Amino acid sequence: MEERETKNFIEQEIDKDLAEGVYDHVVTRFPPEPNGYLHIGHAKSIILNSGLAKEYNGVFNMRFDDTNPTKEKSEFVDSIIADIKWLGADFGDKIYYASDYFDVMYEKAVLLIKKGLAYVSDLNADQIREYRGTLTEAGKEDPNRNRPVEESLQIFSDMKDGKYEDGAVVLRAKIDMSSPNINMRDPILYRVAHRTHVRTGDKWCIYPMYDFAHPIEDAMEGITHSICTLEFEDHRPLYEWVVNNTEWENPPRQIEFAKLYLTNVVTGKRYIKKLVEDGVVDGWDDPRLVSIAGLKRRGFTPESIRNFVNLLGISKSNASAEYQMLEYCVREDLKPKDKRIMAILHPIKLIIDNYPENEEEMVVISNNVENPELGEREVPFSRELYIERDDFMVEPPKKYRRLFIGNEVRLMNAYFVTCTGYDTDEDGNVTCVHATYDPESRGGESPDGRKVRGTIHWVSAKNAVSVEVRQYENLVNEELGVYNEDGTINLNPNSKTVLKDCRIEPYVKGAKAYDGFQFVRDGFYVVDSKDSTEDKLVFNRVVSLKSSYKLPTDTK
Ligand code: ATP
Ligand code: MG
Protein backbone atom coordinates (compact mmCIF):
# COMPACT_ATOMS: atom_id res chain seq x y z
CA MET A 1 0.00 0.00 0.00
CA GLU A 2 1.12 3.52 -0.62
CA GLU A 3 1.86 5.72 2.36
CA ARG A 4 -1.18 7.76 3.24
CA GLU A 5 -0.66 11.47 3.46
CA THR A 6 -3.05 12.14 6.29
CA LYS A 7 -3.61 10.09 9.38
CA ASN A 8 -7.10 8.83 10.16
CA PHE A 9 -8.95 10.16 13.18
CA ILE A 10 -7.97 7.22 15.37
CA GLU A 11 -4.28 7.73 14.64
CA GLN A 12 -4.73 11.40 15.44
CA GLU A 13 -6.28 10.50 18.80
CA ILE A 14 -3.45 8.09 19.56
CA ASP A 15 -0.84 10.69 18.63
CA LYS A 16 -2.51 13.12 20.99
CA ASP A 17 -2.60 10.60 23.84
CA LEU A 18 1.07 9.80 23.38
CA ALA A 19 2.01 13.48 23.18
CA GLU A 20 0.05 14.33 26.32
CA GLY A 21 1.45 11.35 28.18
CA VAL A 22 -1.94 9.72 28.72
CA TYR A 23 -0.23 6.54 27.55
CA ASP A 24 3.38 5.86 26.67
CA HIS A 25 2.64 2.87 24.44
CA VAL A 26 -0.20 1.33 22.42
CA VAL A 27 -2.07 -1.90 23.07
CA THR A 28 -5.09 -2.83 20.93
CA ARG A 29 -7.24 -5.93 20.73
CA PHE A 30 -9.74 -7.82 18.62
CA PRO A 31 -12.47 -9.27 20.85
CA PRO A 32 -14.82 -11.58 18.91
CA GLU A 33 -17.59 -13.47 20.57
CA PRO A 34 -17.14 -17.14 19.56
CA ASN A 35 -20.72 -17.50 18.35
CA GLY A 36 -20.14 -17.68 14.60
CA TYR A 37 -17.53 -17.35 11.89
CA LEU A 38 -15.79 -14.08 11.13
CA HIS A 39 -16.82 -12.03 8.12
CA ILE A 40 -15.42 -9.20 6.02
CA GLY A 41 -16.57 -6.65 8.63
CA HIS A 42 -14.49 -8.36 11.29
CA ALA A 43 -11.57 -8.34 8.87
CA LYS A 44 -11.77 -4.56 8.92
CA SER A 45 -11.55 -4.52 12.70
CA ILE A 46 -8.68 -7.05 12.73
CA ILE A 47 -6.71 -5.16 10.10
CA LEU A 48 -7.32 -1.83 11.83
CA ASN A 49 -6.38 -3.00 15.32
CA SER A 50 -3.40 -5.12 14.35
CA GLY A 51 -2.25 -2.41 11.96
CA LEU A 52 -2.29 0.26 14.66
CA ALA A 53 -0.31 -1.94 17.03
CA LYS A 54 2.27 -2.48 14.33
CA GLU A 55 2.42 1.18 13.34
CA TYR A 56 3.02 2.29 16.94
CA ASN A 57 5.35 -0.58 17.86
CA GLY A 58 2.68 -1.73 20.23
CA VAL A 59 0.93 -4.96 21.02
CA PHE A 60 -2.19 -6.51 19.49
CA ASN A 61 -4.20 -8.96 21.60
CA MET A 62 -6.49 -11.63 20.32
CA ARG A 63 -9.22 -12.16 22.90
CA PHE A 64 -12.32 -14.28 22.91
CA ASP A 65 -15.18 -12.41 24.49
CA ASP A 66 -16.70 -15.60 25.85
CA THR A 67 -18.87 -14.22 28.62
CA ASN A 68 -22.19 -15.51 27.28
CA PRO A 69 -22.31 -19.30 27.69
CA THR A 70 -25.54 -19.79 25.73
CA LYS A 71 -24.36 -19.25 22.18
CA GLU A 72 -20.69 -20.11 22.18
CA LYS A 73 -19.04 -23.14 20.61
CA SER A 74 -15.46 -24.34 20.32
CA GLU A 75 -15.89 -24.90 16.57
CA PHE A 76 -16.09 -21.13 16.30
CA VAL A 77 -12.98 -20.60 18.41
CA ASP A 78 -10.94 -22.76 16.04
CA SER A 79 -12.29 -21.12 12.89
CA ILE A 80 -11.71 -17.62 14.26
CA ILE A 81 -8.07 -18.37 15.10
CA ALA A 82 -7.52 -19.88 11.65
CA ASP A 83 -9.10 -16.88 9.92
CA ILE A 84 -7.06 -14.32 11.84
CA LYS A 85 -3.84 -16.17 11.08
CA TRP A 86 -4.80 -16.39 7.43
CA LEU A 87 -5.37 -12.63 7.33
CA GLY A 88 -1.83 -12.25 8.59
CA ALA A 89 -2.56 -10.37 11.82
CA ASP A 90 0.20 -10.87 14.38
CA PHE A 91 -1.22 -11.51 17.84
CA GLY A 92 1.90 -13.06 19.33
CA ASP A 93 1.82 -16.42 21.09
CA LYS A 94 -0.99 -15.87 23.51
CA ILE A 95 -4.72 -16.03 23.08
CA TYR A 96 -6.75 -14.30 25.74
CA TYR A 97 -10.13 -15.39 27.04
CA ALA A 98 -12.54 -13.10 28.85
CA SER A 99 -13.68 -16.09 30.91
CA ASP A 100 -10.23 -16.15 32.54
CA TYR A 101 -11.23 -12.91 34.25
CA PHE A 102 -14.48 -14.10 35.83
CA ASP A 103 -12.89 -14.02 39.30
CA VAL A 104 -11.68 -10.47 38.83
CA MET A 105 -15.04 -9.37 37.46
CA TYR A 106 -16.73 -10.85 40.50
CA GLU A 107 -14.33 -9.03 42.85
CA LYS A 108 -14.86 -5.77 41.00
CA ALA A 109 -18.62 -6.19 41.31
CA VAL A 110 -18.19 -6.70 45.05
CA LEU A 111 -16.05 -3.56 45.16
CA LEU A 112 -18.82 -1.57 43.47
CA ILE A 113 -21.38 -2.84 45.99
CA LYS A 114 -19.08 -1.88 48.86
CA LYS A 115 -18.67 1.58 47.36
CA GLY A 116 -22.44 1.95 47.22
CA LEU A 117 -22.31 1.89 43.42
CA ALA A 118 -24.17 -1.35 42.82
CA TYR A 119 -27.11 -3.18 44.37
CA VAL A 120 -29.07 -6.37 44.01
CA SER A 121 -32.54 -5.98 42.57
CA ASP A 122 -35.52 -8.33 42.78
CA LEU A 123 -37.28 -6.79 39.81
CA ASN A 124 -37.87 -9.13 36.92
CA ALA A 125 -36.86 -8.36 33.35
CA ASP A 126 -40.24 -6.85 32.40
CA GLN A 127 -40.31 -4.61 35.44
CA ILE A 128 -36.79 -3.42 34.82
CA ARG A 129 -37.74 -2.49 31.29
CA GLU A 130 -40.83 -0.70 32.54
CA TYR A 131 -38.89 1.24 35.21
CA ARG A 132 -36.24 2.24 32.71
CA GLY A 133 -38.34 4.99 31.12
CA THR A 134 -37.98 6.15 27.54
CA LEU A 135 -35.91 8.57 25.52
CA THR A 136 -38.22 11.40 26.52
CA GLU A 137 -39.19 10.20 29.98
CA ALA A 138 -36.94 9.70 33.00
CA GLY A 139 -36.79 6.26 34.57
CA LYS A 140 -38.22 5.27 37.96
CA GLU A 141 -36.05 4.22 40.84
CA ASP A 142 -35.80 0.56 41.64
CA PRO A 143 -37.43 -0.23 45.03
CA ASN A 144 -34.19 -2.02 45.95
CA ARG A 145 -31.98 0.89 45.04
CA ASN A 146 -31.22 1.78 48.64
CA ARG A 147 -30.87 -1.77 49.87
CA PRO A 148 -28.13 -1.85 52.53
CA VAL A 149 -24.67 -2.72 51.25
CA GLU A 150 -24.40 -5.75 53.55
CA GLU A 151 -27.64 -7.18 52.23
CA SER A 152 -26.60 -6.76 48.58
CA LEU A 153 -23.23 -8.34 49.36
CA GLN A 154 -24.93 -11.34 50.96
CA ILE A 155 -27.42 -11.86 48.14
CA PHE A 156 -24.75 -11.42 45.47
CA SER A 157 -22.67 -14.09 47.21
CA ASP A 158 -25.73 -16.35 47.37
CA MET A 159 -26.36 -15.75 43.67
CA LYS A 160 -22.87 -16.99 42.98
CA ASP A 161 -23.47 -20.01 45.20
CA GLY A 162 -26.46 -21.09 43.16
CA LYS A 163 -29.15 -20.15 45.66
CA TYR A 164 -31.22 -18.26 43.08
CA GLU A 165 -33.01 -19.31 39.93
CA ASP A 166 -32.33 -17.74 36.56
CA GLY A 167 -33.90 -14.31 36.41
CA ALA A 168 -34.82 -14.13 40.12
CA VAL A 169 -32.34 -11.36 40.95
CA VAL A 170 -29.80 -9.20 39.16
CA LEU A 171 -26.96 -6.92 40.16
CA ARG A 172 -27.46 -3.35 38.96
CA ALA A 173 -25.11 -0.39 38.85
CA LYS A 174 -26.32 2.61 40.81
CA ILE A 175 -25.84 5.50 38.44
CA ASP A 176 -28.68 7.77 37.40
CA MET A 177 -32.27 6.82 36.60
CA SER A 178 -32.94 10.20 35.02
CA SER A 179 -29.87 10.28 32.77
CA PRO A 180 -30.72 11.26 29.19
CA ASN A 181 -28.53 8.29 28.23
CA ILE A 182 -30.62 5.19 28.86
CA ASN A 183 -27.48 3.07 29.17
CA MET A 184 -26.72 4.96 32.38
CA ARG A 185 -30.06 4.20 34.05
CA ASP A 186 -28.78 1.63 36.52
CA PRO A 187 -27.69 -0.96 33.93
CA ILE A 188 -27.58 -4.62 34.85
CA LEU A 189 -24.06 -5.84 35.65
CA TYR A 190 -24.66 -9.50 36.51
CA ARG A 191 -27.40 -12.01 35.92
CA VAL A 192 -28.06 -15.54 37.13
CA ALA A 193 -27.72 -18.18 34.40
CA HIS A 194 -27.34 -21.83 35.30
CA ARG A 195 -25.35 -22.77 32.20
CA THR A 196 -22.25 -24.79 31.59
CA HIS A 197 -19.50 -22.67 30.07
CA VAL A 198 -17.18 -24.17 27.43
CA ARG A 199 -14.10 -23.20 29.44
CA THR A 200 -15.17 -22.71 33.05
CA GLY A 201 -17.65 -25.58 33.15
CA ASP A 202 -20.10 -25.29 36.06
CA LYS A 203 -17.93 -23.08 38.22
CA TRP A 204 -20.18 -20.10 37.62
CA CYS A 205 -23.94 -19.70 37.58
CA ILE A 206 -23.78 -15.91 37.37
CA TYR A 207 -22.40 -14.19 34.30
CA PRO A 208 -21.43 -10.54 33.73
CA MET A 209 -23.19 -8.39 31.15
CA TYR A 210 -21.19 -7.17 28.15
CA ASP A 211 -21.07 -3.51 29.24
CA PHE A 212 -19.55 -4.47 32.57
CA ALA A 213 -17.30 -7.28 31.37
CA HIS A 214 -15.78 -5.63 28.34
CA PRO A 215 -14.09 -2.64 30.01
CA ILE A 216 -12.69 -4.93 32.71
CA GLU A 217 -11.29 -7.30 30.08
CA ASP A 218 -9.60 -4.35 28.39
CA ALA A 219 -8.24 -3.01 31.66
CA MET A 220 -6.95 -6.45 32.72
CA GLU A 221 -4.88 -6.68 29.57
CA GLY A 222 -3.59 -3.13 29.75
CA ILE A 223 -5.35 -2.19 26.53
CA THR A 224 -4.84 1.50 25.81
CA HIS A 225 -7.23 2.06 22.92
CA SER A 226 -10.36 -0.06 22.89
CA ILE A 227 -11.59 0.38 19.36
CA CYS A 228 -15.15 -0.64 18.62
CA THR A 229 -17.95 0.11 16.21
CA LEU A 230 -20.32 3.08 16.28
CA GLU A 231 -23.26 1.38 17.93
CA PHE A 232 -21.25 1.49 21.17
CA GLU A 233 -20.87 5.26 21.12
CA ASP A 234 -23.77 5.67 23.55
CA HIS A 235 -22.20 3.07 25.79
CA ARG A 236 -18.96 4.99 26.15
CA PRO A 237 -20.04 6.88 29.31
CA LEU A 238 -20.82 3.52 30.90
CA TYR A 239 -17.46 2.12 29.74
CA GLU A 240 -15.77 5.06 31.43
CA TRP A 241 -17.91 4.72 34.54
CA VAL A 242 -16.89 1.07 34.86
CA VAL A 243 -13.14 1.54 34.37
CA ASN A 244 -13.07 4.57 36.63
CA ASN A 245 -15.02 3.04 39.48
CA THR A 246 -13.38 -0.37 39.41
CA GLU A 247 -10.01 1.27 40.05
CA TRP A 248 -7.30 0.69 37.48
CA GLU A 249 -3.96 2.40 37.26
CA ASN A 250 -3.98 3.38 33.63
CA PRO A 251 -7.48 2.66 32.33
CA PRO A 252 -8.22 2.12 28.64
CA ARG A 253 -10.30 4.48 26.53
CA GLN A 254 -12.90 3.61 23.94
CA ILE A 255 -12.90 4.98 20.40
CA GLU A 256 -15.61 4.16 17.86
CA PHE A 257 -15.46 3.84 14.07
CA ALA A 258 -18.02 3.02 11.39
CA LYS A 259 -18.77 -0.61 10.56
CA LEU A 260 -18.03 -1.99 7.17
CA TYR A 261 -21.16 -2.69 5.18
CA LEU A 262 -21.34 -3.98 1.63
CA THR A 263 -24.23 -2.98 -0.59
CA ASN A 264 -26.55 -5.89 -1.38
CA VAL A 265 -24.42 -8.35 0.55
CA VAL A 266 -25.34 -10.32 3.66
CA THR A 267 -22.74 -9.38 6.27
CA GLY A 268 -24.27 -9.71 9.75
CA LYS A 269 -23.19 -12.78 11.68
CA ARG A 270 -26.79 -13.45 12.65
CA TYR A 271 -27.95 -13.47 9.02
CA ILE A 272 -25.06 -15.55 7.76
CA LYS A 273 -25.78 -18.02 10.53
CA LYS A 274 -29.38 -18.31 9.41
CA LEU A 275 -28.36 -18.99 5.80
CA VAL A 276 -26.10 -21.77 7.07
CA GLU A 277 -28.69 -23.24 9.41
CA ASP A 278 -31.45 -23.14 6.79
CA GLY A 279 -29.18 -24.98 4.36
CA VAL A 280 -29.38 -22.16 1.80
CA VAL A 281 -25.60 -22.28 1.53
CA ASP A 282 -23.09 -25.09 1.82
CA GLY A 283 -21.73 -24.25 5.30
CA TRP A 284 -19.99 -21.20 6.74
CA ASP A 285 -17.31 -21.44 4.06
CA ASP A 286 -19.69 -21.38 1.10
CA PRO A 287 -17.85 -19.40 -1.59
CA ARG A 288 -20.85 -17.07 -1.99
CA LEU A 289 -20.55 -15.79 1.57
CA VAL A 290 -18.38 -12.94 2.75
CA SER A 291 -17.36 -14.92 5.81
CA ILE A 292 -13.55 -15.00 5.90
CA ALA A 293 -13.73 -18.77 5.39
CA GLY A 294 -16.02 -18.26 2.38
CA LEU A 295 -13.79 -15.58 0.86
CA LYS A 296 -10.77 -17.82 1.32
CA ARG A 297 -12.50 -20.78 -0.30
CA ARG A 298 -13.72 -18.57 -3.12
CA GLY A 299 -10.11 -17.61 -3.83
CA PHE A 300 -9.74 -14.16 -2.32
CA THR A 301 -6.28 -13.47 -0.92
CA PRO A 302 -5.37 -11.82 2.40
CA GLU A 303 -3.59 -9.11 0.40
CA SER A 304 -6.73 -8.30 -1.57
CA ILE A 305 -8.80 -8.00 1.61
CA ARG A 306 -6.18 -5.81 3.28
CA ASN A 307 -6.01 -3.55 0.25
CA PHE A 308 -9.78 -3.30 0.18
CA VAL A 309 -9.95 -2.30 3.84
CA ASN A 310 -7.14 0.22 3.41
CA LEU A 311 -8.73 1.74 0.34
CA LEU A 312 -11.96 2.29 2.26
CA GLY A 313 -10.18 3.97 5.13
CA ILE A 314 -11.55 4.55 8.62
CA SER A 315 -14.50 6.78 9.12
CA LYS A 316 -16.92 7.94 11.75
CA SER A 317 -20.07 7.77 9.67
CA ASN A 318 -21.75 4.63 8.42
CA ALA A 319 -21.57 4.04 4.69
CA SER A 320 -21.81 1.06 2.45
CA ALA A 321 -19.04 -0.12 0.13
CA GLU A 322 -19.47 -1.78 -3.25
CA TYR A 323 -18.73 -5.46 -3.62
CA GLN A 324 -17.19 -4.52 -6.98
CA MET A 325 -14.46 -2.72 -5.12
CA LEU A 326 -13.50 -5.92 -3.35
CA GLU A 327 -13.50 -7.66 -6.73
CA TYR A 328 -11.30 -4.91 -8.11
CA CYS A 329 -8.80 -5.51 -5.31
CA VAL A 330 -8.58 -9.24 -5.88
CA ARG A 331 -8.25 -8.80 -9.65
CA GLU A 332 -5.38 -6.37 -9.16
CA ASP A 333 -3.73 -8.75 -6.73
CA LEU A 334 -4.06 -11.87 -8.88
CA LYS A 335 -3.23 -10.32 -12.25
CA PRO A 336 0.55 -10.60 -11.85
CA LYS A 337 0.46 -13.66 -9.58
CA ASP A 338 -1.57 -16.27 -11.43
CA LYS A 339 -0.50 -18.32 -14.41
CA ARG A 340 -2.74 -17.87 -17.41
CA ILE A 341 -4.00 -21.10 -18.84
CA MET A 342 -6.59 -22.18 -21.38
CA ALA A 343 -9.81 -23.74 -20.16
CA ILE A 344 -12.84 -24.48 -22.28
CA LEU A 345 -15.96 -24.10 -20.17
CA HIS A 346 -18.60 -24.94 -22.81
CA PRO A 347 -16.66 -27.26 -25.11
CA ILE A 348 -17.30 -28.02 -28.76
CA LYS A 349 -14.85 -29.86 -30.98
CA LEU A 350 -12.82 -28.13 -33.65
CA ILE A 351 -11.25 -30.52 -36.18
CA ILE A 352 -8.41 -29.25 -38.29
CA ASP A 353 -8.84 -31.42 -41.34
CA ASN A 354 -5.49 -30.70 -42.97
CA TYR A 355 -3.47 -31.34 -39.79
CA PRO A 356 -1.79 -34.77 -39.79
CA GLU A 357 -3.71 -37.41 -37.85
CA ASN A 358 -1.97 -38.84 -34.77
CA GLU A 359 0.50 -35.99 -34.74
CA GLU A 360 1.08 -33.81 -31.73
CA GLU A 361 3.37 -30.86 -31.20
CA MET A 362 4.23 -28.71 -28.24
CA VAL A 363 3.54 -24.99 -28.28
CA VAL A 364 5.55 -22.86 -25.87
CA ILE A 365 3.42 -20.31 -24.05
CA SER A 366 4.37 -17.62 -21.54
CA ASN A 367 2.69 -18.22 -18.19
CA ASN A 368 1.97 -14.56 -17.66
CA VAL A 369 3.01 -11.97 -20.21
CA GLU A 370 2.95 -9.26 -17.53
CA ASN A 371 5.20 -11.24 -15.22
CA PRO A 372 8.02 -13.10 -17.00
CA GLU A 373 9.17 -14.52 -13.66
CA LEU A 374 6.36 -17.03 -13.90
CA GLY A 375 8.15 -18.66 -16.83
CA GLU A 376 6.78 -20.63 -19.75
CA ARG A 377 5.09 -23.94 -20.30
CA GLU A 378 4.58 -26.36 -23.16
CA VAL A 379 1.05 -26.97 -24.28
CA PRO A 380 0.14 -29.88 -26.57
CA PHE A 381 -1.51 -29.09 -29.90
CA SER A 382 -3.16 -31.68 -32.17
CA ARG A 383 -5.70 -32.19 -34.91
CA GLU A 384 -8.74 -32.27 -32.63
CA LEU A 385 -9.23 -29.44 -30.23
CA TYR A 386 -11.92 -28.09 -27.96
CA ILE A 387 -13.01 -24.51 -28.31
CA GLU A 388 -15.75 -22.49 -26.64
CA ARG A 389 -19.14 -23.18 -28.15
CA ASP A 390 -19.84 -19.49 -28.62
CA ASP A 391 -16.59 -18.97 -30.52
CA PHE A 392 -18.38 -20.46 -33.52
CA MET A 393 -21.60 -19.25 -35.12
CA VAL A 394 -23.57 -20.57 -38.06
CA GLU A 395 -25.12 -17.20 -38.70
CA PRO A 396 -22.88 -14.57 -37.15
CA PRO A 397 -24.07 -11.07 -36.39
CA LYS A 398 -22.28 -8.21 -38.12
CA LYS A 399 -19.36 -7.52 -35.83
CA TYR A 400 -18.67 -11.15 -34.94
CA ARG A 401 -14.96 -11.81 -35.43
CA ARG A 402 -14.59 -15.39 -34.37
CA LEU A 403 -15.30 -18.61 -36.28
CA PHE A 404 -17.91 -18.80 -39.02
CA ILE A 405 -17.66 -20.42 -42.38
CA GLY A 406 -15.00 -18.72 -44.48
CA ASN A 407 -13.51 -16.66 -41.62
CA GLU A 408 -9.91 -16.94 -40.49
CA VAL A 409 -8.96 -16.53 -36.80
CA ARG A 410 -5.90 -17.06 -34.65
CA LEU A 411 -5.75 -19.99 -32.28
CA MET A 412 -3.95 -18.31 -29.43
CA ASN A 413 -0.18 -18.90 -29.60
CA ALA A 414 -0.68 -21.66 -32.20
CA TYR A 415 -1.89 -21.18 -35.80
CA PHE A 416 -4.25 -19.31 -38.07
CA VAL A 417 -7.26 -21.45 -38.96
CA THR A 418 -10.06 -20.90 -41.46
CA CYS A 419 -13.49 -22.31 -40.76
CA THR A 420 -14.67 -24.68 -43.49
CA GLY A 421 -17.83 -26.27 -42.15
CA TYR A 422 -19.64 -27.90 -39.27
CA ASP A 423 -21.57 -31.07 -38.38
CA THR A 424 -24.98 -31.24 -36.76
CA ASP A 425 -27.04 -33.88 -35.00
CA GLU A 426 -30.59 -34.89 -35.97
CA ASP A 427 -32.00 -31.84 -34.21
CA GLY A 428 -29.74 -29.47 -36.05
CA ASN A 429 -27.45 -28.74 -33.10
CA VAL A 430 -23.84 -28.09 -34.04
CA THR A 431 -21.71 -31.00 -32.80
CA CYS A 432 -18.36 -30.21 -34.35
CA VAL A 433 -16.66 -27.45 -36.32
CA HIS A 434 -14.20 -27.99 -39.16
CA ALA A 435 -11.27 -25.84 -40.21
CA THR A 436 -7.98 -25.89 -42.06
CA TYR A 437 -4.79 -24.39 -40.70
CA ASP A 438 -1.91 -22.50 -42.26
CA PRO A 439 1.30 -24.32 -41.24
CA GLU A 440 3.24 -21.12 -41.96
CA SER A 441 1.51 -19.27 -39.14
CA ARG A 442 3.08 -21.23 -36.29
CA GLY A 443 3.05 -19.39 -32.96
CA GLY A 444 0.01 -17.48 -34.17
CA GLU A 445 2.21 -15.14 -36.20
CA SER A 446 1.08 -13.93 -39.59
CA PRO A 447 3.27 -15.48 -42.33
CA ASP A 448 2.74 -12.73 -44.91
CA GLY A 449 1.39 -9.70 -43.13
CA ARG A 450 -2.26 -10.69 -43.53
CA LYS A 451 -4.31 -9.93 -40.48
CA VAL A 452 -6.97 -11.83 -38.59
CA ARG A 453 -9.37 -9.99 -36.36
CA GLY A 454 -10.24 -12.68 -33.87
CA THR A 455 -8.17 -14.74 -31.46
CA ILE A 456 -9.68 -17.68 -29.64
CA HIS A 457 -8.29 -20.17 -27.16
CA TRP A 458 -8.29 -23.94 -27.41
CA VAL A 459 -7.33 -27.17 -25.70
CA SER A 460 -6.02 -30.31 -27.40
CA ALA A 461 -8.88 -32.82 -27.13
CA LYS A 462 -6.91 -35.96 -26.40
CA ASN A 463 -4.75 -34.26 -23.76
CA ALA A 464 -7.50 -32.27 -22.11
CA VAL A 465 -8.46 -32.84 -18.48
CA SER A 466 -12.14 -32.83 -17.59
CA VAL A 467 -12.87 -30.65 -14.57
CA GLU A 468 -15.85 -29.14 -12.78
CA VAL A 469 -16.16 -25.40 -12.70
CA ARG A 470 -18.37 -23.36 -10.37
CA GLN A 471 -19.32 -19.81 -11.13
CA TYR A 472 -21.04 -17.51 -8.69
CA GLU A 473 -23.30 -14.53 -8.68
CA ASN A 474 -24.59 -12.53 -5.76
CA LEU A 475 -26.50 -14.70 -3.30
CA VAL A 476 -28.96 -11.86 -3.02
CA ASN A 477 -31.45 -10.68 -5.60
CA GLU A 478 -30.11 -7.18 -6.14
CA GLU A 479 -33.30 -5.83 -7.67
CA LEU A 480 -35.26 -6.61 -4.55
CA GLY A 481 -32.58 -5.66 -2.01
CA VAL A 482 -31.21 -7.87 0.74
CA TYR A 483 -33.88 -8.01 3.40
CA ASN A 484 -37.65 -8.24 3.39
CA GLU A 485 -39.62 -6.49 6.09
CA ASP A 486 -39.88 -9.71 8.07
CA GLY A 487 -36.09 -10.12 8.06
CA THR A 488 -36.01 -12.87 5.43
CA ILE A 489 -33.50 -12.57 2.60
CA ASN A 490 -34.33 -12.17 -1.10
CA LEU A 491 -32.29 -14.90 -2.70
CA ASN A 492 -31.00 -14.98 -6.25
CA PRO A 493 -31.90 -18.43 -7.63
CA ASN A 494 -28.92 -18.29 -10.02
CA SER A 495 -26.21 -17.59 -7.49
CA LYS A 496 -24.32 -20.80 -8.30
CA THR A 497 -23.76 -22.37 -11.72
CA VAL A 498 -22.02 -25.73 -11.97
CA LEU A 499 -20.32 -26.73 -15.24
CA LYS A 500 -19.61 -30.44 -14.97
CA ASP A 501 -17.41 -31.21 -17.97
CA CYS A 502 -15.05 -28.41 -18.78
CA ARG A 503 -11.88 -29.21 -20.73
CA ILE A 504 -8.67 -27.76 -19.59
CA GLU A 505 -4.93 -27.96 -20.33
CA PRO A 506 -3.11 -30.94 -18.82
CA TYR A 507 -0.92 -28.41 -17.02
CA VAL A 508 -3.42 -28.32 -14.10
CA LYS A 509 -2.92 -31.99 -13.23
CA GLY A 510 -1.95 -32.32 -9.59
CA ALA A 511 -3.25 -28.86 -8.65
CA LYS A 512 -3.98 -28.52 -4.93
CA ALA A 513 -6.59 -26.70 -2.87
CA TYR A 514 -6.34 -22.89 -3.25
CA ASP A 515 -3.99 -23.11 -6.27
CA GLY A 516 -5.00 -20.23 -8.48
CA PHE A 517 -5.04 -19.77 -12.25
CA GLN A 518 -6.30 -17.21 -14.67
CA PHE A 519 -8.46 -18.90 -17.30
CA VAL A 520 -7.74 -16.73 -20.31
CA ARG A 521 -10.60 -14.61 -21.60
CA ASP A 522 -12.72 -15.50 -18.58
CA GLY A 523 -11.55 -14.98 -15.04
CA PHE A 524 -9.55 -15.99 -12.00
CA TYR A 525 -10.09 -19.43 -10.52
CA VAL A 526 -8.91 -21.50 -7.57
CA VAL A 527 -9.06 -25.18 -6.79
CA ASP A 528 -11.91 -25.76 -4.34
CA SER A 529 -10.69 -26.81 -0.90
CA LYS A 530 -13.64 -29.02 -0.05
CA ASP A 531 -14.81 -30.91 -3.10
CA SER A 532 -11.83 -31.10 -5.42
CA THR A 533 -10.10 -34.50 -5.76
CA GLU A 534 -7.08 -35.73 -7.68
CA ASP A 535 -9.38 -37.46 -10.17
CA LYS A 536 -11.86 -34.66 -10.57
CA LEU A 537 -10.57 -31.19 -10.00
CA VAL A 538 -13.16 -28.60 -8.99
CA PHE A 539 -12.54 -24.91 -9.62
CA ASN A 540 -14.26 -21.85 -8.16
CA ARG A 541 -14.40 -18.64 -10.10
CA VAL A 542 -13.08 -15.91 -7.83
CA VAL A 543 -13.97 -13.09 -10.16
CA SER A 544 -14.36 -12.53 -13.88
CA LEU A 545 -11.62 -10.73 -15.79
CA LYS A 546 -13.65 -7.84 -17.01
CA SER A 547 -15.54 -5.21 -15.18
CA SER A 548 -16.76 -1.74 -15.93
CA TYR A 549 -16.08 -0.81 -12.30
CA LYS A 550 -13.93 2.24 -11.64
CA LEU A 551 -12.47 3.12 -8.28
CA PRO A 552 -14.17 6.13 -6.75
CA THR A 553 -11.85 9.11 -7.00
CA ASP A 554 -12.11 10.03 -3.34
CA THR A 555 -10.52 6.80 -2.08
CA LYS A 556 -7.21 7.30 -0.44
P1 ATP B 1 -22.21 -8.93 13.69
O1 ATP B 1 -22.42 -7.44 13.60
O2 ATP B 1 -21.90 -9.55 12.38
O3 ATP B 1 -23.30 -9.65 14.41
P2 ATP B 1 -20.68 -8.81 16.09
O4 ATP B 1 -20.41 -7.37 16.28
O5 ATP B 1 -21.75 -9.42 16.89
O6 ATP B 1 -20.88 -9.12 14.53
P3 ATP B 1 -18.39 -9.65 17.55
O7 ATP B 1 -17.81 -11.01 17.61
O8 ATP B 1 -19.04 -9.12 18.75
O9 ATP B 1 -19.38 -9.64 16.30
O10 ATP B 1 -17.35 -8.61 16.98
C1 ATP B 1 -15.97 -8.60 17.21
C2 ATP B 1 -15.43 -7.26 16.80
O11 ATP B 1 -15.63 -7.04 15.40
C3 ATP B 1 -16.11 -6.13 17.51
O12 ATP B 1 -15.11 -5.25 18.00
C4 ATP B 1 -16.96 -5.48 16.46
O13 ATP B 1 -17.10 -4.11 16.69
C5 ATP B 1 -16.18 -5.76 15.17
N1 ATP B 1 -17.08 -5.80 14.02
C6 ATP B 1 -18.18 -6.56 13.86
N2 ATP B 1 -18.80 -6.31 12.69
C7 ATP B 1 -18.06 -5.35 12.08
C8 ATP B 1 -18.18 -4.63 10.84
N3 ATP B 1 -19.18 -4.87 10.00
N4 ATP B 1 -17.24 -3.71 10.54
C9 ATP B 1 -16.22 -3.48 11.38
N5 ATP B 1 -16.05 -4.11 12.57
C10 ATP B 1 -16.96 -5.02 12.93
MG1 MG C 1 -21.57 -9.05 19.19
Side-chain angles (χ1 to χ4, degrees), residues 155-226:
I155 304 174
F156 190 50
S157 166
D158 291 344
M159 282 163 70
K160 176 176 74 103
D161 293 339
K163 296 186 185 158
Y164 288 90
E165 296 294 310
D166 290 9
V169 277
V170 291
L171 183 73
R172 296 184 76 171
K174 191 171 181 177
I175 309 181
D176 179 4
M177 286 311 289
S178 56
S179 169
N181 184 340
I182 292 185
N183 295 301
M184 300 299 273
R185 294 184 189 167
D186 292 10
I188 297 174
L189 304 180
Y190 259 96
R191 67 200 164 103
V192 181
H194 291 267
R195 298 281 150 69
T196 304
H197 187 281
V198 177
R199 296 187 81 247
T200 57
D202 291 323
K203 178 174 174 194
W204 296 92
C205 61
I206 56 171
Y207 290 94
M209 303 303 286
Y210 179 88
D211 280 336
F212 177 65
H214 202 81
I216 293 180
E217 295 159 27
D218 287 341
M220 279 291 289
E221 291 171 19
I223 302 297
T224 54
H225 298 86
S226 176

Side-chain angles (χ1 to χ4, degrees), residues 29-35 38-46 49 65 80 210 214 227-229 231-232 257-261 267-270:
R29 87 286 176 262
F30 176 66
E33 199 185 337
N35 62 354
L38 298 183
H39 54 64
I40 184 84
H42 296 114
K44 176 166 186 169
S45 178
I46 294 164
N49 280 292
D65 203 336
I80 289 171
Y210 179 88
H214 202 81
I227 297 165
C228 64
T229 42
E231 71 272 25
F232 291 101
F257 72 102
K259 270 194 171 180
L260 169 62
Y261 292 102
T267 36
K269 196 151 55 178
R270 192 154 58 94

